[in-house]
Amino acid sequence: MRTWISIALSLLLIASCNKTSLPAFDLSGRTMGTTFNITLVSPPDDTDLDALGAIIQDRLEYIENIASTYRDNSELSQFNSNPSMDWIAVTPEFCRMISSALDVSVMTRGAFDITVGPLVNLWGFGPSPEESGLPTEEQITQARSGVNYEALEADCDKFVVRKSLKATYVDLSGWAKGYAVDEIAAILDARDVDNYLIEIGGELRVQGRNPKQEPFSIAIEKPIKNNAMKYHALLLTDAAVATSGDYRNFYEHDGQRYSHTIDPRTGRPVSHQLTGVTVVSTSTAFADAIATALLVLGADEGWVLAEELDIAAYFLIRTEDGLKEISTTKFARLNRL
Ligand code: ADP
Ligand code: MG
């Protein structure tokens, strides 16, 4: 299921009548069970696009080999299957991913929690989906007993990580896509590509200007599965955008919707009227994780936390009268179309 499709390079045709349009190049493919799309606008003349595509593909492959729970031999899977509760030597990159994700757990008081893995798997959103209906109370209680970010520690001076619960199972799926976007941005920055858009599975980052030499226009979709319609648009440059929604990845059972975002406090998929959260920040990894946390917390608690942390966040809420939107102060200051 998680196979690679080689990166396709194609020149985006920019209207020739518009003399100020810049040349743009598109790189796209598959990673982490989803797609990635990169647009380079007016890269330096000596940019070798084939070589750059290969470097990006290698980097994504490398990140999956560290952080995927879908690969048995990834560093994460090996850590998860290691029963030791002593410090375990890890790669610097793995250590930093764990450490940064744990920082977000602290900030969000556990709403974002990478030790949520046993529950993700139990509810059928992990690498080996459950076949037989919904989990029982007993199974939920059992899985919850292994979920606690405080039972995971990273010491990145020594590059060691330790779990203090046998049942700890780390899931970096809510972190890895945003992280990978930032890593691709670093590759492009190092090659003096000043204008780009990078998107992996809906988490994205824009830098500089679009082909029309304007800020990028980023749409926030209407929260309807398989029905991507623009609800709202932002004009952004030098920014990361992540959206968590209960409408993208879910299943229905007896008319009830089960989202892949799990509330670690209840052990259950989130179920409230908050249908989507969009976060704008400087780091895509951070935006990705915060969007998940705010979706867990719901509109009221989520908004309060986002204001407290001075985060630009936008909440879409289902009401009897249709969709209602709420923005934090910082989000309201962003440029809208
Ligand atoms: P979204 O963009 O909707 O947030 P992501 O793919 O970025 O979706 O993240 C969802 C994944 O994060 C889930 O499939 C699961 O593996 C993991 N996850 C679910 N709930 C949490 C949580 N509370 N904290 C951290 N990770 C979570
Ligand atoms: Mg996300």
Side-chain angles (χ1 to χ4, degrees), residues 185-337:
I187 290 173
L188 298 182
D189 292 344
R191 282 157 184 80
D192 297 324
V193 180
D194 296 329
N195 310 288
Y196 54 76
L197 181 151
I198 306 163
E199 181 261 339
I200 302 180
E203 328 296 7
L204 63 92
R205 182 181 187 107
V206 288
Q207 184 73 31
R209 302 273 150 163
N210 72 9
K212 291 181 190 155
Q213 306 200 42
E214 294 162 347
F216 287 87
S217 160
I218 306 300
I220 299 175
E221 290 169 7
K222 266 193 174 177
I224 303 167
K225 190 171 166 97
N226 297 332
N227 192 358
M229 287 170 67
K230 193 170 80 177
Y231 189 71
H232 199 88
L234 296 169
L235 281 177
L236 294 174
T237 184
D238 311 344
V241 187
T243 298
S244 284
D246 70 355
Y247 51 93
R248 272 263 180 81
N249 198 336
F250 66 90
Y251 59 78
E252 280 181 359
H253 185 91
D254 289 344
Q256 172 86 32
R257 179 181 289 214
Y258 295 91
S259 156
H260 73 157
T261 301
I262 308 288
D263 186 339
R265 301 166 301 182
T266 62
R268 293 165 188 283
V270 292
S271 70
H272 42 55
Q273 296 314 107
L274 175 58
T275 181
V277 184
T278 296
V279 171
V280 180
S281 180
T282 49
S283 150
T284 325
F286 179 75
D288 195 1
I290 290 288
T292 297
L294 299 181
L295 187 68
V296 165
L297 293 173
D300 295 341
E301 223 184 310
W303 184 84
V304 171
L305 181 71
E307 284 289 4
E308 196 184 297
L309 298 174
D310 195 27
I311 284 166
Y314 172 83
F315 302 80
L316 266 180
I317 302 146
R318 272 189 225 97
T319 74
E320 284 177 3
D321 307 320
L323 290 173
K324 185 178 142 198
E325 44 182 325
I326 305 179
S327 301
T328 60
T329 310
K330 198 161 185 179
F331 189 93
R333 287 199 214 112
L334 298 172
N335 289 324
R336 292 179 177 202
L337 265 184

Side-chain angles (χ1 to χ4, degrees), residues 20-21 27 34 37 51 121 138 143 147 153 165 169 172 184 230 236 240 249 271 278 301 309 327 331:
T20 59
S21 286
L27 310 175
T34 184
N37 293 286
N121 294 346
E138 206 183 330
V147 178
E153 288 170 277
L165 280 175
Y169 176 100
L172 285 169
I184 295 173
K230 193 170 80 177
L236 294 174
N249 198 336
S271 70
T278 296
E301 223 184 310
L309 298 174
S327 301
F331 189 93

Side-chain angles (χ1 to χ4, degrees), residues 12-305:
L12 289 183
L13 294 175
I14 306 300
S16 55
C17 57
N18 184 348
K19 293 225 165 54
T20 59
S21 286
L22 300 172
F25 303 87
D26 201 23
L27 310 175
S28 59
R30 289 194 66 80
T31 186
M32 302 179 194
T34 184
T35 54
F36 72 85
N37 293 286
I38 302 166
T39 300
L40 311 178
V41 181
S42 199
D45 289 343
D46 60 355
T47 304
D48 178 337
L49 289 172
D50 286 321
L52 183 56
I55 288 166
I56 289 170
Q57 183 164 347
D58 283 354
R59 188 75 184 102
L60 290 169
E61 183 69 8
Y62 187 84
I63 293 169
E64 277 204 88
N65 279 334
I66 291 182
S68 175
T69 49
Y70 290 80
R71 294 185 176 184
D72 290 343
N73 57 356
S74 71
E75 186 169 11
L76 179 59
S77 292
Q78 284 173 19
F79 176 78
N80 281 336
S81 60
N82 189 337
S84 172
M85 296 204 301
D86 291 334
W87 289 105
I88 296 171
V90 295
T91 60
E93 187 157 3
F94 181 79
C95 195
R96 287 191 205 104
M97 286 177 87
I98 299 283
S99 173
S100 307
L102 287 175
D103 288 345
V104 179
S105 293
V106 174
M107 287 174 84
T108 62
R109 294 161 207 137
F112 178 80
D113 185 343
I114 53 171
T115 69
V116 77
L119 290 165
V120 172
N121 294 346
L122 182 67
W123 284 96
F125 294 106
S128 32
E130 298 285 312
E131 302 280 328
S132 50
L134 298 180
T136 63
E137 269 317 313
E138 206 183 330
Q139 287 174 310
I140 295 170
T141 307
Q142 165 73 20
R144 274 184 70 193
S145 66
V147 178
N148 181 358
Y149 68 91
E150 289 176 330
L152 186 65
E153 288 170 277
D155 177 347
C156 297
D157 290 330
K158 299 190 180 120
F159 304 127
V160 285
V161 178
R162 174 168 73 174
K163 47 188 140 182
S164 56
L165 280 175
K166 266 215 163 60
T168 298
Y169 176 100
V170 176
D171 176 359
L172 285 169
S173 300
W175 182 263
K177 291 200 297 283
Y179 175 82
V181 169
D182 291 334
E183 290 302 303
I184 295 173
I187 290 173
L188 298 182
D189 292 344
R191 282 157 184 80
D192 297 324
V193 180
D194 296 329
N195 310 288
Y196 54 76
L197 181 151
I198 306 163
E199 181 261 339
I200 302 180
E203 328 296 7
L204 63 92
R205 182 181 187 107
V206 288
Q207 184 73 31
R209 302 273 150 163
N210 72 9
K212 291 181 190 155
Q213 306 200 42
E214 294 162 347
F216 287 87
S217 160
I218 306 300
I220 299 175
E221 290 169 7
K222 266 193 174 177
I224 303 167
K225 190 171 166 97
N226 297 332
N227 192 358
M229 287 170 67
K230 193 170 80 177
Y231 189 71
H232 199 88
L234 296 169
L235 281 177
L236 294 174
T237 184
D238 311 344
V241 187
T243 298
S244 284
D246 70 355
Y247 51 93
R248 272 263 180 81
N249 198 336
F250 66 90
Y251 59 78
E252 280 181 359
H253 185 91
D254 289 344
Q256 172 86 32
R257 179 181 289 214
Y258 295 91
S259 156
H260 73 157
T261 301
I262 308 288
D263 186 339
R265 301 166 301 182
T266 62
R268 293 165 188 283
V270 292
S271 70
H272 42 55
Q273 296 314 107
L274 175 58
T275 181
V277 184
T278 296
V279 171
V280 180
S281 180
T282 49
S283 150
T284 325
F286 179 75
D288 195 1
I290 290 288
T292 297
L294 299 181
L295 187 68
V296 165
L297 293 173
D300 295 341
E301 223 184 310
W303 184 84
V304 171
L305 181 71

